Protein backbone atom coordinates (compact mmCIF):
# COMPACT_ATOMS: atom_id res chain seq x y z
CA UNK A 1 0.00 0.00 0.00
CA UNK A 2 1.21 3.51 -0.81
CA UNK A 3 1.63 5.58 2.35
CA UNK A 4 0.24 9.10 2.79
CA UNK A 5 3.83 10.30 3.11
CA UNK A 6 4.73 8.78 -0.25
CA UNK A 7 1.71 10.43 -1.86
CA UNK A 8 2.91 13.77 -0.47
CA UNK A 9 6.43 13.12 -1.76
CA UNK A 10 5.07 12.14 -5.14
CA UNK A 11 3.02 15.34 -5.40
CA UNK A 12 6.00 17.49 -4.44
CA UNK A 13 8.28 15.65 -6.88
CA UNK A 14 5.79 15.96 -9.73
CA UNK A 15 5.35 19.69 -9.03
CA UNK A 16 9.12 20.13 -9.20
CA UNK A 17 9.14 18.44 -12.61
CA UNK A 18 6.66 21.08 -13.80
CA UNK A 19 9.34 23.73 -13.11
CA UNK A 20 11.75 22.18 -15.61
CA UNK A 21 11.93 23.88 -18.99
CA UNK A 22 13.13 22.53 -22.30
CA UNK A 23 16.90 22.81 -22.71
CA UNK A 24 17.69 23.20 -19.02
CA UNK A 25 20.86 21.85 -17.45
CA UNK A 26 19.84 20.31 -14.15
CA UNK A 27 21.19 19.23 -10.80
CA UNK A 28 19.61 15.93 -9.85
CA UNK A 29 19.35 15.24 -6.12
CA UNK A 30 19.02 11.98 -4.25
CA UNK A 31 16.30 10.25 -2.26
CA UNK A 32 12.76 8.95 -2.49
CA UNK A 33 11.19 12.37 -3.21
CA UNK A 34 13.71 13.02 -5.97
CA UNK A 35 12.93 9.58 -7.40
CA UNK A 36 9.32 10.72 -7.89
CA UNK A 37 10.65 13.88 -9.56
CA UNK A 38 12.89 11.84 -11.87
CA UNK A 39 10.08 9.54 -12.91
CA UNK A 40 7.82 12.52 -13.69
CA UNK A 41 10.67 14.17 -15.59
CA UNK A 42 11.35 10.94 -17.46
CA UNK A 43 7.80 11.08 -18.81
CA UNK A 44 8.46 14.59 -20.13
CA UNK A 45 11.70 13.43 -21.74
CA UNK A 46 9.85 10.54 -23.37
CA UNK A 47 7.40 13.12 -24.72
CA UNK A 48 10.23 15.11 -26.32
CA UNK A 49 11.65 17.46 -23.67
CA UNK A 50 15.42 17.89 -23.98
CA UNK A 51 17.18 18.11 -20.60
CA UNK A 52 20.26 16.63 -19.00
CA UNK A 53 21.74 16.87 -15.56
CA UNK A 54 24.46 16.10 -13.07
CA UNK A 55 23.41 13.30 -10.70
CA UNK A 56 24.31 13.57 -7.01
CA UNK A 57 24.64 9.82 -6.47
CA UNK A 58 25.15 6.57 -8.31
CA UNK A 59 21.55 5.65 -7.35
CA UNK A 60 20.23 8.74 -9.05
CA UNK A 61 22.42 8.10 -12.10
CA UNK A 62 21.00 4.58 -12.37
CA UNK A 63 17.39 5.82 -12.25
CA UNK A 64 18.19 8.54 -14.82
CA UNK A 65 19.50 5.91 -17.22
CA UNK A 66 16.34 3.86 -16.63
CA UNK A 67 13.96 6.77 -17.40
CA UNK A 68 16.04 8.30 -20.21
CA UNK A 69 17.41 11.47 -18.58
CA UNK A 70 20.81 12.39 -20.01
CA UNK A 71 23.77 12.63 -17.64
CA UNK A 72 26.47 15.30 -17.46
CA UNK A 73 29.42 15.98 -15.19
CA UNK A 74 31.34 19.04 -14.03
CA UNK A 75 33.93 18.53 -16.78
CA UNK A 76 31.20 19.55 -19.23
CA UNK A 77 29.25 22.28 -17.39
CA UNK A 78 30.09 24.87 -14.76
CA UNK A 79 26.64 26.27 -13.93
CA UNK A 80 23.28 24.59 -13.66
CA UNK A 81 19.94 26.22 -14.43
CA UNK A 82 18.03 24.37 -11.76
CA UNK A 83 18.75 21.79 -9.07
CA UNK A 84 16.00 19.70 -7.52
CA UNK A 85 16.57 17.82 -4.29
CA UNK A 86 14.89 16.66 -1.08
CA UNK A 87 15.75 17.39 2.55
CA UNK A 88 15.77 15.67 5.92
CA UNK A 89 14.89 18.89 7.76
CA UNK A 90 14.24 22.45 6.62
CA UNK A 91 13.76 25.43 8.93
CA UNK A 92 11.90 28.74 8.43
CA UNK A 93 15.10 30.35 7.05
CA UNK A 94 15.34 27.49 4.52
CA UNK A 95 18.51 26.16 6.13
CA UNK A 96 18.54 22.37 5.93
CA UNK A 97 19.94 19.12 7.19
CA UNK A 98 20.63 16.77 4.29
CA UNK A 99 22.55 13.56 3.80
CA UNK A 100 20.16 11.01 5.25
CA UNK A 101 20.76 9.18 1.98
CA UNK A 102 24.51 9.65 2.25
CA UNK A 103 24.85 11.95 -0.78
CA UNK A 104 25.51 15.22 1.06
CA UNK A 105 28.82 16.16 -0.56
CA UNK A 106 27.69 15.83 -4.17
CA UNK A 107 24.32 17.35 -3.27
CA UNK A 108 26.02 20.41 -1.80
CA UNK A 109 28.41 20.78 -4.76
CA UNK A 110 25.50 20.59 -7.17
CA UNK A 111 23.33 23.00 -5.16
CA UNK A 112 26.22 25.49 -4.96
CA UNK A 113 26.56 25.38 -8.76
CA UNK A 114 22.86 25.97 -9.44
CA UNK A 115 21.23 29.30 -10.26
CA UNK A 116 18.08 28.06 -8.56
CA UNK A 117 17.62 25.27 -6.01
CA UNK A 118 14.18 23.79 -5.51
CA UNK A 119 13.63 21.50 -2.51
CA UNK A 120 10.69 19.10 -2.60
CA UNK A 121 9.44 17.64 0.69
CA UNK A 122 6.53 16.17 2.57
CA UNK A 123 5.38 18.17 5.63
CA UNK A 124 7.31 16.03 8.12
CA UNK A 125 10.54 17.71 6.95
CA UNK A 126 9.50 21.20 8.06
CA UNK A 127 10.86 22.10 11.50
CA UNK A 128 11.11 25.23 13.64
CA UNK A 129 14.69 24.42 14.55
CA UNK A 130 17.19 22.01 12.96
CA UNK A 131 18.77 19.15 14.89
CA UNK A 132 16.28 16.41 15.74
CA UNK A 133 17.51 14.54 12.65
CA UNK A 134 21.07 13.24 13.15
CA UNK A 135 23.50 15.52 11.32
CA UNK A 136 25.64 13.56 8.83
CA UNK A 137 29.33 14.41 8.75
CA UNK A 138 31.35 12.89 5.91
CA UNK A 139 34.92 12.00 6.93
CA UNK A 140 37.86 10.42 5.16
CA UNK A 141 38.44 6.83 6.32
CA UNK A 142 42.09 7.50 7.22
CA UNK A 143 42.27 8.44 10.88
CA UNK A 144 38.54 9.01 11.26
CA UNK A 145 39.11 8.25 14.94
CA UNK A 146 40.92 11.60 15.15
CA UNK A 147 37.80 13.40 13.95
CA UNK A 148 35.81 11.39 16.51
CA UNK A 149 38.16 12.60 19.27
CA UNK A 150 37.60 16.19 18.16
CA UNK A 151 33.85 15.66 18.27
CA UNK A 152 34.22 14.17 21.76
CA UNK A 153 36.08 17.31 22.81
CA UNK A 154 33.28 19.46 21.36
CA UNK A 155 30.71 17.46 23.36
CA UNK A 156 29.07 16.09 20.19
CA UNK A 157 27.81 12.52 20.22
CA UNK A 158 28.08 10.53 17.00
CA UNK A 159 27.58 7.13 15.51
CA UNK A 160 29.50 5.64 12.58
CA UNK A 161 26.87 4.94 9.93
CA UNK A 162 26.58 1.24 9.13
CA UNK A 163 25.03 -0.65 6.24
CA UNK A 164 24.50 -4.39 6.60
CA UNK A 165 26.64 -4.35 9.72
CA UNK A 166 29.63 -2.77 7.96
CA UNK A 167 30.72 0.88 7.75
CA UNK A 168 28.63 2.69 5.15
CA UNK A 169 30.87 3.97 2.34
CA UNK A 170 29.75 7.03 0.35
CA UNK A 171 30.04 7.33 -3.42
CA UNK A 172 33.23 9.29 -2.70
CA UNK A 173 34.79 6.43 -0.73
CA UNK A 174 34.30 8.14 2.63
CA UNK A 175 32.57 7.33 5.93
CA UNK A 176 29.69 9.10 7.68
CA UNK A 177 29.39 10.02 11.34
CA UNK A 178 25.77 10.74 12.25
CA UNK A 179 25.87 13.37 14.99
CA UNK A 180 23.18 13.79 17.62
CA UNK A 181 22.95 17.55 17.94
CA UNK A 182 19.64 18.41 19.56
CA UNK A 183 18.42 21.94 18.79
CA UNK A 184 20.99 23.74 16.62
CA UNK A 185 20.99 27.41 17.69
CA UNK A 186 23.40 28.69 15.05
CA UNK A 187 23.51 26.39 11.98
CA UNK A 188 26.02 28.59 10.14
CA UNK A 189 28.52 28.58 13.03
CA UNK A 190 28.14 24.82 13.54
CA UNK A 191 28.60 24.23 9.82
CA UNK A 192 31.86 26.17 9.83
CA UNK A 193 33.25 24.64 13.02
CA UNK A 194 32.60 21.08 11.83
CA UNK A 195 34.16 21.73 8.43
CA UNK A 196 37.21 23.24 10.15
CA UNK A 197 38.13 19.80 11.57
CA UNK A 198 40.88 18.25 9.46
CA UNK A 199 39.56 14.96 8.10
CA UNK A 200 36.00 16.24 7.72
CA UNK A 201 35.05 16.42 4.05
CA UNK A 202 31.73 18.19 4.58
CA UNK A 203 28.67 18.13 6.78
CA UNK A 204 24.96 17.96 6.09
CA UNK A 205 24.09 21.53 7.07
CA UNK A 206 23.01 23.39 3.92
CA UNK A 207 23.09 27.14 4.53
CA UNK A 208 21.53 29.53 2.00
CA UNK A 209 21.18 26.74 -0.56
CA UNK A 210 17.42 26.71 -1.10
CA UNK A 211 15.55 29.25 -3.22
CA UNK A 212 12.18 27.58 -3.37
CA UNK A 213 10.40 24.99 -1.23
CA UNK A 214 7.69 22.69 -2.58
CA UNK A 215 5.57 20.93 0.04
CA UNK A 216 3.15 18.19 -0.92
CA UNK A 217 0.43 17.82 1.74
CA UNK A 218 -3.10 16.48 1.89
CA UNK A 219 -3.72 16.41 -1.84
CA UNK A 220 -2.29 19.83 -2.59
CA UNK A 221 1.05 21.43 -3.27
CA UNK A 222 2.40 24.59 -1.67
CA UNK A 223 5.21 26.50 -3.36
CA UNK A 224 7.12 28.87 -1.08
CA UNK A 225 9.77 31.21 -2.50
CA UNK A 226 12.54 32.32 -0.17
C1 LIG B 1 20.10 12.32 0.55
C2 LIG B 1 19.29 13.47 1.02
C3 LIG B 1 17.84 13.43 0.77
O1 LIG B 1 17.46 14.58 0.08
C4 LIG B 1 17.10 13.36 2.06
O2 LIG B 1 17.58 12.26 2.79
C5 LIG B 1 15.58 13.24 1.84
O3 LIG B 1 15.27 11.99 1.33
P1 LIG B 1 13.80 11.51 1.05
O4 LIG B 1 13.27 12.34 -0.08
O5 LIG B 1 13.94 10.05 0.72
O6 LIG B 1 12.98 11.72 2.31
O7 LIG B 1 19.78 14.41 1.59
O8 LIG B 1 21.44 12.44 0.91
Amino acid sequence: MVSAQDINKQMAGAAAAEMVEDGMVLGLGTGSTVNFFLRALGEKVAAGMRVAGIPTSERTATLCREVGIGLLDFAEVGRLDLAVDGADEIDPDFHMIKGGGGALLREKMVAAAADRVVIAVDPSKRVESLGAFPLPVEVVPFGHQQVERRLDAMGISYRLRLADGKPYVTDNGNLILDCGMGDIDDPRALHDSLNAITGVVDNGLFIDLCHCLIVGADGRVEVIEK
Side-chain angles (χ1 to χ4, degrees), residues 9 30-33 85-88 98-104 107 125:
K9 288 182 177 189
T30 292
S32 54
T33 315
D85 208 340
D88 297 303
K98 287 182 51 53
L104 59 145
E107 289 173 336
K125 308 300 182 66

Short mmCIF file of all heavy atoms in Angstrom, two decimals, residues 9 30-33 85-88 98-104 107 125, ligand 1:
data_model
loop_
_atom_site.label_atom_id
_atom_site.label_comp_id
_atom_site.label_asym_id
_atom_site.label_seq_id
_atom_site.Cartn_x
_atom_site.Cartn_y
_atom_site.Cartn_z
N LYS A 9 5.14 13.02 -1.06
CA LYS A 9 6.43 13.12 -1.76
C LYS A 9 6.22 13.10 -3.27
O LYS A 9 6.88 13.85 -4.01
CB LYS A 9 7.35 11.96 -1.34
CG LYS A 9 7.87 12.07 0.08
CD LYS A 9 8.81 10.90 0.40
CE LYS A 9 9.38 11.05 1.80
NZ LYS A 9 10.44 10.09 2.09
N THR A 30 19.07 13.39 -4.64
CA THR A 30 19.02 11.98 -4.25
C THR A 30 17.93 11.77 -3.22
O THR A 30 17.71 12.63 -2.36
CB THR A 30 20.39 11.56 -3.67
OG1 THR A 30 21.36 11.57 -4.72
CG2 THR A 30 20.35 10.15 -3.08
N GLY A 31 17.27 10.61 -3.29
CA GLY A 31 16.30 10.25 -2.26
C GLY A 31 14.96 9.87 -2.87
O GLY A 31 14.76 9.95 -4.09
N SER A 32 14.05 9.47 -2.01
CA SER A 32 12.76 8.95 -2.49
C SER A 32 11.91 10.05 -3.13
O SER A 32 11.20 9.80 -4.11
CB SER A 32 12.01 8.28 -1.34
OG SER A 32 11.87 9.16 -0.24
N THR A 33 11.97 11.28 -2.60
CA THR A 33 11.19 12.37 -3.21
C THR A 33 11.75 12.70 -4.58
O THR A 33 10.99 12.90 -5.55
CB THR A 33 11.22 13.62 -2.29
OG1 THR A 33 10.98 13.20 -0.94
CG2 THR A 33 10.17 14.63 -2.71
N ASP A 85 16.12 18.78 -5.29
CA ASP A 85 16.57 17.82 -4.29
C ASP A 85 15.51 17.71 -3.19
O ASP A 85 14.53 18.46 -3.19
CB ASP A 85 17.93 18.25 -3.71
CG ASP A 85 18.76 17.07 -3.23
OD1 ASP A 85 18.19 15.99 -2.99
OD2 ASP A 85 19.99 17.23 -3.11
N GLY A 86 15.74 16.79 -2.26
CA GLY A 86 14.89 16.66 -1.08
C GLY A 86 15.63 17.19 0.13
O GLY A 86 16.69 17.81 0.01
N ALA A 87 15.08 16.96 1.31
CA ALA A 87 15.75 17.39 2.55
C ALA A 87 15.30 16.48 3.69
O ALA A 87 14.22 15.88 3.64
CB ALA A 87 15.40 18.84 2.87
N ASP A 88 16.15 16.41 4.71
CA ASP A 88 15.77 15.67 5.92
C ASP A 88 15.09 16.59 6.91
O ASP A 88 14.18 16.17 7.62
CB ASP A 88 17.01 15.01 6.53
CG ASP A 88 17.60 13.99 5.58
OD1 ASP A 88 16.86 13.06 5.19
OD2 ASP A 88 18.76 14.14 5.18
N LYS A 98 20.72 17.74 5.37
CA LYS A 98 20.63 16.77 4.29
C LYS A 98 21.70 15.70 4.49
O LYS A 98 22.59 15.86 5.29
CB LYS A 98 20.83 17.45 2.94
CG LYS A 98 19.61 18.30 2.54
CD LYS A 98 19.77 18.95 1.17
CE LYS A 98 20.17 18.05 0.07
NZ LYS A 98 19.33 16.86 -0.09
N GLY A 99 21.54 14.62 3.73
CA GLY A 99 22.55 13.56 3.80
C GLY A 99 22.05 12.29 4.44
O GLY A 99 22.82 11.35 4.63
N GLY A 100 20.73 12.26 4.74
CA GLY A 100 20.16 11.01 5.25
C GLY A 100 20.41 9.86 4.28
O GLY A 100 20.58 8.71 4.68
N GLY A 101 20.47 10.19 3.00
CA GLY A 101 20.76 9.18 1.98
C GLY A 101 22.24 9.05 1.67
O GLY A 101 22.63 8.30 0.76
N GLY A 102 23.06 9.81 2.38
CA GLY A 102 24.51 9.65 2.25
C GLY A 102 25.13 10.43 1.09
O GLY A 102 26.32 10.29 0.83
N ALA A 103 24.34 11.28 0.43
CA ALA A 103 24.85 11.95 -0.78
C ALA A 103 25.20 13.42 -0.54
O ALA A 103 25.27 14.20 -1.48
CB ALA A 103 23.82 11.83 -1.91
N LEU A 104 25.41 13.80 0.72
CA LEU A 104 25.51 15.22 1.06
C LEU A 104 26.57 16.00 0.30
O LEU A 104 26.34 17.14 -0.11
CB LEU A 104 25.72 15.40 2.57
CG LEU A 104 26.95 14.74 3.19
CD1 LEU A 104 27.48 15.61 4.30
CD2 LEU A 104 26.58 13.39 3.75
N GLU A 107 25.52 16.50 -3.30
CA GLU A 107 24.32 17.35 -3.27
C GLU A 107 24.71 18.81 -3.02
O GLU A 107 24.17 19.72 -3.64
CB GLU A 107 23.36 16.87 -2.19
CG GLU A 107 22.68 15.55 -2.53
CD GLU A 107 21.86 14.99 -1.38
OE1 GLU A 107 22.11 15.31 -0.22
OE2 GLU A 107 20.95 14.20 -1.68
N LYS A 125 9.17 17.17 7.02
CA LYS A 125 10.54 17.71 6.95
C LYS A 125 10.63 19.15 7.45
O LYS A 125 11.73 19.67 7.65
CB LYS A 125 11.05 17.64 5.51
CG LYS A 125 10.94 16.28 4.85
CD LYS A 125 11.72 15.24 5.60
CE LYS A 125 11.68 13.87 4.95
NZ LYS A 125 12.32 13.79 3.67
C1 LIG B 1 20.10 12.32 0.55
C2 LIG B 1 19.29 13.47 1.02
C3 LIG B 1 17.84 13.43 0.77
O1 LIG B 1 17.46 14.58 0.08
C4 LIG B 1 17.10 13.36 2.06
O2 LIG B 1 17.58 12.26 2.79
C5 LIG B 1 15.58 13.24 1.84
O3 LIG B 1 15.27 11.99 1.33
P1 LIG B 1 13.80 11.51 1.05
O4 LIG B 1 13.27 12.34 -0.08
O5 LIG B 1 13.94 10.05 0.72
O6 LIG B 1 12.98 11.72 2.31
O7 LIG B 1 19.78 14.41 1.59
O8 LIG B 1 21.44 12.44 0.91
#
